[in-house]
Amino acid sequence: RLAPAPVGRRAGGAGVEHPPEAQRQPGQRLAGALLGPRPDADHPLRLQDRHRLAQVGVAGRQQRPLFGGGQQRQPLSVGQFAYLGQVAMTYLVLRDASGALLLLDQHAAHERLKYEELKKDIASKQVVSQMLIEPVIVNLTGSEMTAYRDNKQLFDDIGFESEEFGDDAVIVRSVPGEVELGEVEPLVLELVAQGEELRKELITEKNERLLYTIACKSAVKANMRMSKIEMETLVRNVLRLKNINTCPHGRPIIVTMSKKELEKEFKRIV
């Protein structure tokens, strides 16, 4: 039977001093029990042990999260895609099942959605108008007023509630879609200008042009911060569009970079 080791010394000797229990720092005894005495840095026979112990220490240590705060959450699944985040408050980042990276232009995507919604509503004669908190008075030139009168029925059909206000202005009480109050006057001026330019076009072609403009003005803008729920909803709705990958003006909605293209960029493959 071995005699108990003296306080401050390990059983078995080896001449390794340990402080008494009361003087040890928290976790010191546990570290000593797991890792044993510190290897001599100059002892050639202990280099492998030193390397092994270093690996044990790394493996046993809790790793710090790569990103802080709310970014530790798992990517949000959107069908067969994973939503990763927003870049420059303009582009939404996605990854598909193959590992490809997708960048979605939030304005172009929302503009296309608004256009498709407006077109469907007009076709079914169920246009939803938004009543303004306060009416907006828009001053017009003589030629603009003429264009407004010529296209008044068309404006009504696409969701505007407006009327003449004196000799050189119109008052707007409701607008289609979700046009912000500050966008109403420039939108009306742009639509009236288009009405002047499109006098000879068929009514359906005029409709298309006007809807493009309304969709653009009512869509979320570039450099606009969106909530996570708003971004998720936008992605879901855009991915439901069939065979459509451009905004009404022809700009792309989604740019894709395949896994192979990514590997080429990083010179992993030729």
Short mmCIF file of all heavy atoms in Angstrom, two decimals, residues 129-186:
data_model
loop_
_atom_site.label_atom_id
_atom_site.label_comp_id
_atom_site.label_asym_id
_atom_site.label_seq_id
_atom_site.Cartn_x
_atom_site.Cartn_y
_atom_site.Cartn_z
N SER A 129 -56.95 50.09 -55.05
CA SER A 129 -56.39 51.43 -54.91
C SER A 129 -56.11 51.73 -53.46
O SER A 129 -56.79 51.23 -52.55
CB SER A 129 -57.35 52.48 -55.48
OG SER A 129 -57.52 52.29 -56.87
N GLN A 130 -55.13 52.57 -53.26
CA GLN A 130 -54.75 52.98 -51.91
C GLN A 130 -55.14 54.45 -51.71
O GLN A 130 -54.67 55.32 -52.44
CB GLN A 130 -53.23 52.82 -51.74
CG GLN A 130 -52.65 53.49 -50.52
CD GLN A 130 -51.14 53.39 -50.51
OE1 GLN A 130 -50.57 52.65 -49.73
NE2 GLN A 130 -50.48 54.16 -51.37
N MET A 131 -56.04 54.70 -50.76
CA MET A 131 -56.45 56.08 -50.50
C MET A 131 -55.32 56.80 -49.78
O MET A 131 -54.76 56.29 -48.80
CB MET A 131 -57.73 56.12 -49.66
CG MET A 131 -58.24 57.52 -49.41
SD MET A 131 -59.86 57.54 -48.60
CE MET A 131 -60.90 56.97 -49.93
N LEU A 132 -54.99 57.98 -50.24
CA LEU A 132 -53.91 58.76 -49.66
C LEU A 132 -54.35 59.40 -48.34
O LEU A 132 -55.52 59.76 -48.18
CB LEU A 132 -53.45 59.83 -50.63
CG LEU A 132 -52.92 59.33 -51.97
CD1 LEU A 132 -52.64 60.49 -52.91
CD2 LEU A 132 -51.66 58.49 -51.78
N ILE A 133 -53.42 59.54 -47.42
CA ILE A 133 -53.71 60.19 -46.14
C ILE A 133 -54.22 61.61 -46.37
O ILE A 133 -55.15 62.07 -45.71
CB ILE A 133 -52.45 60.21 -45.25
CG1 ILE A 133 -52.02 58.79 -44.93
CG2 ILE A 133 -52.70 61.00 -43.97
CD1 ILE A 133 -50.72 58.70 -44.17
N GLU A 134 -53.61 62.29 -47.31
CA GLU A 134 -54.08 63.61 -47.73
C GLU A 134 -53.96 63.70 -49.24
O GLU A 134 -53.00 63.19 -49.83
CB GLU A 134 -53.27 64.72 -47.05
CG GLU A 134 -51.77 64.65 -47.29
CD GLU A 134 -51.04 65.73 -46.53
OE1 GLU A 134 -50.90 65.60 -45.31
OE2 GLU A 134 -50.60 66.70 -47.20
N PRO A 135 -54.94 64.31 -49.91
CA PRO A 135 -54.88 64.41 -51.37
C PRO A 135 -53.64 65.17 -51.82
O PRO A 135 -53.11 66.03 -51.11
CB PRO A 135 -56.16 65.19 -51.73
CG PRO A 135 -57.05 65.03 -50.54
CD PRO A 135 -56.15 64.94 -49.36
N VAL A 136 -53.15 64.82 -53.01
CA VAL A 136 -51.97 65.47 -53.57
C VAL A 136 -52.41 66.29 -54.79
O VAL A 136 -53.09 65.78 -55.68
CB VAL A 136 -50.92 64.42 -53.99
CG1 VAL A 136 -49.76 65.10 -54.72
CG2 VAL A 136 -50.42 63.65 -52.77
N ILE A 137 -52.02 67.57 -54.79
CA ILE A 137 -52.33 68.46 -55.91
C ILE A 137 -51.12 68.52 -56.82
O ILE A 137 -50.00 68.79 -56.38
CB ILE A 137 -52.70 69.87 -55.41
CG1 ILE A 137 -53.98 69.79 -54.56
CG2 ILE A 137 -52.91 70.82 -56.59
CD1 ILE A 137 -54.34 71.10 -53.88
N VAL A 138 -51.33 68.23 -58.10
CA VAL A 138 -50.25 68.21 -59.08
C VAL A 138 -50.51 69.29 -60.13
O VAL A 138 -51.55 69.28 -60.80
CB VAL A 138 -50.15 66.84 -59.77
CG1 VAL A 138 -48.99 66.81 -60.75
CG2 VAL A 138 -50.02 65.72 -58.74
N ASN A 139 -49.60 70.24 -60.23
CA ASN A 139 -49.72 71.31 -61.22
C ASN A 139 -49.26 70.82 -62.59
O ASN A 139 -48.22 70.15 -62.70
CB ASN A 139 -48.89 72.53 -60.80
CG ASN A 139 -49.43 73.16 -59.52
OD1 ASN A 139 -50.63 73.41 -59.40
ND2 ASN A 139 -48.55 73.41 -58.57
N LEU A 140 -50.03 71.18 -63.64
CA LEU A 140 -49.74 70.73 -64.99
C LEU A 140 -49.67 71.91 -65.95
O LEU A 140 -50.31 72.95 -65.74
CB LEU A 140 -50.82 69.76 -65.48
CG LEU A 140 -51.06 68.49 -64.63
CD1 LEU A 140 -52.23 67.71 -65.20
CD2 LEU A 140 -49.81 67.63 -64.58
N THR A 141 -48.89 71.73 -67.00
CA THR A 141 -48.87 72.72 -68.08
C THR A 141 -50.11 72.51 -68.95
O THR A 141 -50.86 71.53 -68.77
CB THR A 141 -47.61 72.56 -68.93
OG1 THR A 141 -47.65 71.27 -69.58
CG2 THR A 141 -46.35 72.67 -68.09
N GLY A 142 -50.30 73.39 -69.91
CA GLY A 142 -51.45 73.26 -70.80
C GLY A 142 -51.46 71.95 -71.57
O GLY A 142 -52.48 71.25 -71.66
N SER A 143 -50.29 71.57 -72.12
CA SER A 143 -50.22 70.32 -72.90
C SER A 143 -50.38 69.10 -71.99
O SER A 143 -50.97 68.10 -72.39
CB SER A 143 -48.90 70.25 -73.66
OG SER A 143 -47.79 70.29 -72.77
N GLU A 144 -49.84 69.20 -70.77
CA GLU A 144 -49.99 68.09 -69.81
C GLU A 144 -51.45 67.92 -69.41
O GLU A 144 -51.94 66.79 -69.26
CB GLU A 144 -49.11 68.34 -68.59
CG GLU A 144 -47.64 68.17 -68.84
CD GLU A 144 -46.77 68.60 -67.67
OE1 GLU A 144 -47.25 69.41 -66.82
OE2 GLU A 144 -45.62 68.14 -67.59
N MET A 145 -52.17 69.02 -69.22
CA MET A 145 -53.58 68.93 -68.87
C MET A 145 -54.37 68.28 -70.00
O MET A 145 -55.29 67.47 -69.76
CB MET A 145 -54.13 70.32 -68.56
CG MET A 145 -55.60 70.32 -68.16
SD MET A 145 -55.93 69.36 -66.64
CE MET A 145 -55.45 70.55 -65.39
N THR A 146 -54.03 68.62 -71.23
CA THR A 146 -54.69 67.99 -72.39
C THR A 146 -54.44 66.49 -72.39
O THR A 146 -55.37 65.69 -72.63
CB THR A 146 -54.17 68.61 -73.70
OG1 THR A 146 -54.45 70.02 -73.70
CG2 THR A 146 -54.83 67.96 -74.90
N ALA A 147 -53.19 66.10 -72.11
CA ALA A 147 -52.86 64.67 -72.08
C ALA A 147 -53.60 63.98 -70.94
O ALA A 147 -54.07 62.83 -71.10
CB ALA A 147 -51.36 64.49 -71.91
N TYR A 148 -53.73 64.66 -69.81
CA TYR A 148 -54.47 64.08 -68.68
C TYR A 148 -55.93 63.83 -69.07
O TYR A 148 -56.48 62.75 -68.80
CB TYR A 148 -54.39 65.01 -67.47
CG TYR A 148 -55.33 64.62 -66.35
CD1 TYR A 148 -55.04 63.56 -65.50
CD2 TYR A 148 -56.53 65.31 -66.17
CE1 TYR A 148 -55.92 63.19 -64.48
CE2 TYR A 148 -57.41 64.95 -65.16
CZ TYR A 148 -57.10 63.89 -64.32
OH TYR A 148 -57.98 63.53 -63.32
N ARG A 149 -56.56 64.84 -69.71
CA ARG A 149 -57.97 64.69 -70.11
C ARG A 149 -58.13 63.56 -71.12
O ARG A 149 -59.09 62.79 -71.06
CB ARG A 149 -58.47 66.01 -70.69
CG ARG A 149 -58.63 67.11 -69.66
CD ARG A 149 -58.89 68.44 -70.32
NE ARG A 149 -59.02 69.51 -69.32
CZ ARG A 149 -58.77 70.79 -69.57
NH1 ARG A 149 -58.34 71.17 -70.78
NH2 ARG A 149 -58.92 71.70 -68.61
N ASP A 150 -57.17 63.45 -72.05
CA ASP A 150 -57.26 62.40 -73.07
C ASP A 150 -57.13 61.01 -72.47
O ASP A 150 -57.67 60.03 -73.03
CB ASP A 150 -56.15 62.59 -74.11
CG ASP A 150 -56.37 63.81 -74.99
OD1 ASP A 150 -57.51 64.33 -75.00
OD2 ASP A 150 -55.40 64.25 -75.64
N ASN A 151 -56.41 60.89 -71.35
CA ASN A 151 -56.14 59.58 -70.75
C ASN A 151 -56.83 59.37 -69.40
O ASN A 151 -56.49 58.45 -68.67
CB ASN A 151 -54.63 59.41 -70.57
CG ASN A 151 -53.89 59.32 -71.89
OD1 ASN A 151 -53.86 58.27 -72.53
ND2 ASN A 151 -53.28 60.42 -72.30
N LYS A 152 -57.80 60.24 -69.09
CA LYS A 152 -58.46 60.18 -67.78
C LYS A 152 -59.08 58.81 -67.52
O LYS A 152 -58.91 58.24 -66.43
CB LYS A 152 -59.55 61.25 -67.71
CG LYS A 152 -60.42 61.21 -66.44
CD LYS A 152 -59.62 61.55 -65.20
CE LYS A 152 -60.53 61.85 -64.02
NZ LYS A 152 -61.39 60.73 -63.60
N GLN A 153 -59.75 58.23 -68.49
CA GLN A 153 -60.38 56.92 -68.30
C GLN A 153 -59.34 55.85 -68.06
O GLN A 153 -59.53 54.95 -67.22
CB GLN A 153 -61.24 56.56 -69.53
CG GLN A 153 -62.04 55.28 -69.36
CD GLN A 153 -62.99 55.34 -68.18
OE1 GLN A 153 -63.78 56.29 -68.06
NE2 GLN A 153 -62.94 54.35 -67.30
N LEU A 154 -58.22 55.96 -68.76
CA LEU A 154 -57.15 54.99 -68.57
C LEU A 154 -56.58 55.08 -67.16
O LEU A 154 -56.34 54.07 -66.50
CB LEU A 154 -56.05 55.24 -69.60
CG LEU A 154 -54.83 54.32 -69.56
CD1 LEU A 154 -55.24 52.86 -69.67
CD2 LEU A 154 -53.85 54.69 -70.65
N PHE A 155 -56.39 56.31 -66.66
CA PHE A 155 -55.90 56.48 -65.29
C PHE A 155 -56.88 55.88 -64.29
O PHE A 155 -56.47 55.26 -63.30
CB PHE A 155 -55.69 57.97 -64.99
CG PHE A 155 -54.57 58.61 -65.76
CD1 PHE A 155 -54.57 59.97 -66.02
CD2 PHE A 155 -53.51 57.85 -66.25
CE1 PHE A 155 -53.54 60.56 -66.74
CE2 PHE A 155 -52.48 58.43 -66.97
CZ PHE A 155 -52.49 59.79 -67.21
N ASP A 156 -58.17 56.07 -64.54
CA ASP A 156 -59.19 55.49 -63.66
C ASP A 156 -59.10 53.97 -63.67
O ASP A 156 -59.20 53.32 -62.62
CB ASP A 156 -60.60 55.92 -64.09
CG ASP A 156 -60.86 57.41 -63.85
OD1 ASP A 156 -60.05 58.04 -63.13
OD2 ASP A 156 -61.84 57.93 -64.40
N ASP A 157 -58.93 53.40 -64.86
CA ASP A 157 -58.91 51.94 -64.99
C ASP A 157 -57.73 51.30 -64.28
O ASP A 157 -57.83 50.15 -63.83
CB ASP A 157 -58.87 51.55 -66.48
CG ASP A 157 -60.16 51.89 -67.20
OD1 ASP A 157 -61.18 52.12 -66.52
OD2 ASP A 157 -60.15 51.95 -68.45
N ILE A 158 -56.61 52.02 -64.20
CA ILE A 158 -55.44 51.41 -63.56
C ILE A 158 -55.33 51.75 -62.07
O ILE A 158 -54.34 51.42 -61.44
CB ILE A 158 -54.13 51.81 -64.29
CG1 ILE A 158 -53.92 53.32 -64.25
CG2 ILE A 158 -54.13 51.28 -65.71
CD1 ILE A 158 -52.63 53.78 -64.91
N GLY A 159 -56.37 52.41 -61.52
CA GLY A 159 -56.42 52.56 -60.07
C GLY A 159 -56.27 53.95 -59.50
O GLY A 159 -56.22 54.10 -58.28
N PHE A 160 -56.22 54.98 -60.35
CA PHE A 160 -56.14 56.35 -59.83
C PHE A 160 -57.54 56.90 -59.59
O PHE A 160 -58.46 56.67 -60.38
CB PHE A 160 -55.41 57.26 -60.82
CG PHE A 160 -53.93 57.11 -60.82
CD1 PHE A 160 -53.31 56.23 -61.69
CD2 PHE A 160 -53.15 57.84 -59.95
CE1 PHE A 160 -51.94 56.07 -61.70
CE2 PHE A 160 -51.77 57.69 -59.94
CZ PHE A 160 -51.17 56.81 -60.81
N GLU A 161 -57.68 57.64 -58.52
CA GLU A 161 -58.88 58.45 -58.30
C GLU A 161 -58.42 59.90 -58.32
O GLU A 161 -57.73 60.35 -57.40
CB GLU A 161 -59.54 58.11 -56.96
CG GLU A 161 -60.82 58.89 -56.72
CD GLU A 161 -61.40 58.66 -55.33
OE1 GLU A 161 -61.04 57.67 -54.67
OE2 GLU A 161 -62.20 59.53 -54.90
N SER A 162 -58.76 60.60 -59.39
CA SER A 162 -58.28 61.96 -59.56
C SER A 162 -59.30 62.78 -60.33
O SER A 162 -60.20 62.23 -60.98
CB SER A 162 -56.94 61.96 -60.29
OG SER A 162 -57.11 61.43 -61.61
N GLU A 163 -59.14 64.11 -60.28
CA GLU A 163 -60.01 65.00 -61.03
C GLU A 163 -59.31 66.34 -61.20
O GLU A 163 -58.31 66.63 -60.52
CB GLU A 163 -61.35 65.19 -60.31
CG GLU A 163 -61.23 65.75 -58.92
CD GLU A 163 -62.56 65.80 -58.20
OE1 GLU A 163 -63.60 65.87 -58.88
OE2 GLU A 163 -62.56 65.76 -56.95
N GLU A 164 -59.83 67.12 -62.13
CA GLU A 164 -59.25 68.43 -62.36
C GLU A 164 -59.45 69.31 -61.14
O GLU A 164 -60.48 69.25 -60.45
CB GLU A 164 -59.88 69.08 -63.60
CG GLU A 164 -59.55 68.34 -64.88
CD GLU A 164 -60.12 69.01 -66.12
OE1 GLU A 164 -60.15 70.28 -66.15
OE2 GLU A 164 -60.52 68.30 -67.05
N PHE A 165 -58.46 70.16 -60.88
CA PHE A 165 -58.49 71.05 -59.73
C PHE A 165 -58.09 72.44 -60.23
O PHE A 165 -56.91 72.79 -60.28
CB PHE A 165 -57.50 70.55 -58.67
CG PHE A 165 -57.60 71.24 -57.34
CD1 PHE A 165 -58.65 70.98 -56.47
CD2 PHE A 165 -56.65 72.17 -56.96
CE1 PHE A 165 -58.75 71.61 -55.26
CE2 PHE A 165 -56.72 72.81 -55.73
CZ PHE A 165 -57.78 72.53 -54.88
N GLY A 166 -59.11 73.19 -60.69
CA GLY A 166 -58.82 74.46 -61.33
C GLY A 166 -58.46 74.25 -62.78
O GLY A 166 -58.72 73.19 -63.36
N ASP A 167 -57.79 75.25 -63.36
CA ASP A 167 -57.47 75.20 -64.78
C ASP A 167 -56.16 74.50 -65.09
O ASP A 167 -55.94 74.07 -66.22
CB ASP A 167 -57.42 76.63 -65.36
CG ASP A 167 -58.77 77.32 -65.30
OD1 ASP A 167 -59.80 76.59 -65.36
OD2 ASP A 167 -58.81 78.56 -65.18
N ASP A 168 -55.27 74.43 -64.11
CA ASP A 168 -53.92 73.92 -64.41
C ASP A 168 -53.40 72.95 -63.36
O ASP A 168 -52.20 72.89 -63.08
CB ASP A 168 -52.95 75.09 -64.56
CG ASP A 168 -52.91 75.97 -63.31
OD1 ASP A 168 -53.67 75.69 -62.36
OD2 ASP A 168 -52.11 76.93 -63.29
N ALA A 169 -54.29 72.16 -62.76
CA ALA A 169 -53.86 71.19 -61.75
C ALA A 169 -54.88 70.06 -61.66
O ALA A 169 -56.03 70.18 -62.09
CB ALA A 169 -53.68 71.86 -60.40
N VAL A 170 -54.43 68.94 -61.14
CA VAL A 170 -55.32 67.83 -60.81
C VAL A 170 -55.12 67.48 -59.34
O VAL A 170 -54.03 67.69 -58.78
CB VAL A 170 -55.06 66.59 -61.69
CG1 VAL A 170 -55.35 66.89 -63.15
CG2 VAL A 170 -53.64 66.09 -61.52
N ILE A 171 -56.14 66.95 -58.73
CA ILE A 171 -56.04 66.51 -57.34
C ILE A 171 -56.17 64.98 -57.33
O ILE A 171 -57.08 64.43 -57.96
CB ILE A 171 -57.11 67.17 -56.45
CG1 ILE A 171 -56.91 66.77 -54.99
CG2 ILE A 171 -58.53 66.86 -56.92
CD1 ILE A 171 -57.73 67.62 -54.01
N VAL A 172 -55.24 64.31 -56.65
CA VAL A 172 -55.18 62.85 -56.63
C VAL A 172 -55.54 62.38 -55.23
O VAL A 172 -54.92 62.80 -54.25
CB VAL A 172 -53.78 62.35 -57.01
CG1 VAL A 172 -53.75 60.82 -57.05
CG2 VAL A 172 -53.35 62.92 -58.36
N ARG A 173 -56.54 61.50 -55.15
CA ARG A 173 -56.99 61.01 -53.84
C ARG A 173 -56.60 59.55 -53.58
O ARG A 173 -56.43 59.15 -52.44
CB ARG A 173 -58.51 61.17 -53.71
CG ARG A 173 -58.96 62.62 -53.70
CD ARG A 173 -60.44 62.75 -53.38
NE ARG A 173 -60.82 64.15 -53.17
CZ ARG A 173 -61.16 64.99 -54.14
NH1 ARG A 173 -61.17 64.56 -55.41
NH2 ARG A 173 -61.47 66.24 -53.87
N SER A 174 -56.49 58.76 -54.64
CA SER A 174 -56.12 57.36 -54.50
C SER A 174 -55.15 56.98 -55.61
O SER A 174 -55.21 57.54 -56.71
CB SER A 174 -57.35 56.44 -54.55
OG SER A 174 -58.22 56.70 -53.47
N VAL A 175 -54.28 56.02 -55.31
CA VAL A 175 -53.29 55.55 -56.29
C VAL A 175 -53.26 54.03 -56.28
O VAL A 175 -53.63 53.40 -55.26
CB VAL A 175 -51.88 56.09 -55.97
CG1 VAL A 175 -51.82 57.60 -56.16
CG2 VAL A 175 -51.44 55.71 -54.57
N PRO A 176 -52.85 53.40 -57.36
CA PRO A 176 -52.76 51.94 -57.39
C PRO A 176 -51.52 51.46 -56.62
O PRO A 176 -50.54 52.20 -56.46
CB PRO A 176 -52.64 51.61 -58.87
CG PRO A 176 -52.02 52.83 -59.46
CD PRO A 176 -52.52 53.99 -58.67
N GLY A 177 -51.56 50.23 -56.17
CA GLY A 177 -50.39 49.64 -55.51
C GLY A 177 -50.07 50.29 -54.19
O GLY A 177 -50.96 50.72 -53.45
N GLU A 178 -48.77 50.38 -53.91
CA GLU A 178 -48.31 50.89 -52.63
C GLU A 178 -47.36 52.07 -52.84
O GLU A 178 -46.26 52.10 -52.31
CB GLU A 178 -47.62 49.78 -51.84
CG GLU A 178 -48.53 48.60 -51.56
CD GLU A 178 -47.79 47.41 -50.98
OE1 GLU A 178 -46.55 47.48 -50.86
OE2 GLU A 178 -48.44 46.42 -50.66
N VAL A 179 -47.79 53.02 -53.63
CA VAL A 179 -46.98 54.19 -53.93
C VAL A 179 -46.90 55.08 -52.69
O VAL A 179 -47.93 55.39 -52.08
CB VAL A 179 -47.57 54.98 -55.12
CG1 VAL A 179 -46.71 56.21 -55.42
CG2 VAL A 179 -47.69 54.09 -56.34
N GLU A 180 -45.69 55.49 -52.33
CA GLU A 180 -45.51 56.35 -51.17
C GLU A 180 -45.98 57.76 -51.50
O GLU A 180 -45.98 58.19 -52.67
CB GLU A 180 -44.05 56.37 -50.73
CG GLU A 180 -43.57 55.02 -50.22
CD GLU A 180 -42.13 55.09 -49.73
OE1 GLU A 180 -41.54 56.19 -49.72
OE2 GLU A 180 -41.60 54.03 -49.36
N LEU A 181 -46.37 58.51 -50.47
CA LEU A 181 -46.92 59.84 -50.66
C LEU A 181 -45.98 60.74 -51.45
O LEU A 181 -46.40 61.48 -52.34
CB LEU A 181 -47.23 60.47 -49.29
CG LEU A 181 -48.08 61.75 -49.30
CD1 LEU A 181 -49.46 61.49 -49.90
CD2 LEU A 181 -48.21 62.32 -47.89
N GLY A 182 -44.69 60.67 -51.15
CA GLY A 182 -43.72 61.52 -51.83
C GLY A 182 -43.51 61.15 -53.28
O GLY A 182 -42.92 61.94 -54.05
N GLU A 183 -43.97 59.98 -53.70
CA GLU A 183 -43.79 59.52 -55.09
C GLU A 183 -45.00 59.85 -55.96
O GLU A 183 -44.96 59.66 -57.18
CB GLU A 183 -43.57 58.01 -55.11
CG GLU A 183 -42.28 57.54 -54.46
CD GLU A 183 -41.10 57.69 -55.40
OE1 GLU A 183 -41.27 58.23 -56.51
OE2 GLU A 183 -39.99 57.28 -55.01
N VAL A 184 -46.10 60.33 -55.35
CA VAL A 184 -47.34 60.51 -56.11
C VAL A 184 -47.19 61.57 -57.19
O VAL A 184 -47.52 61.34 -58.37
CB VAL A 184 -48.51 60.87 -55.16
CG1 VAL A 184 -49.76 61.21 -55.99
CG2 VAL A 184 -48.81 59.71 -54.22
N GLU A 185 -46.69 62.75 -56.83
CA GLU A 185 -46.57 63.83 -57.82
C GLU A 185 -45.65 63.45 -58.98
O GLU A 185 -46.04 63.58 -60.15
CB GLU A 185 -46.10 65.12 -57.16
CG GLU A 185 -46.04 66.29 -58.14
CD GLU A 185 -45.66 67.60 -57.46
OE1 GLU A 185 -45.46 67.60 -56.23
OE2 GLU A 185 -45.58 68.63 -58.17
N PRO A 186 -44.40 62.98 -58.70
CA PRO A 186 -43.55 62.59 -59.84
C PRO A 186 -44.15 61.46 -60.67
O PRO A 186 -43.95 61.41 -61.89
CB PRO A 186 -42.23 62.17 -59.18
CG PRO A 186 -42.52 62.00 -57.74
CD PRO A 186 -43.67 62.88 -57.43
#
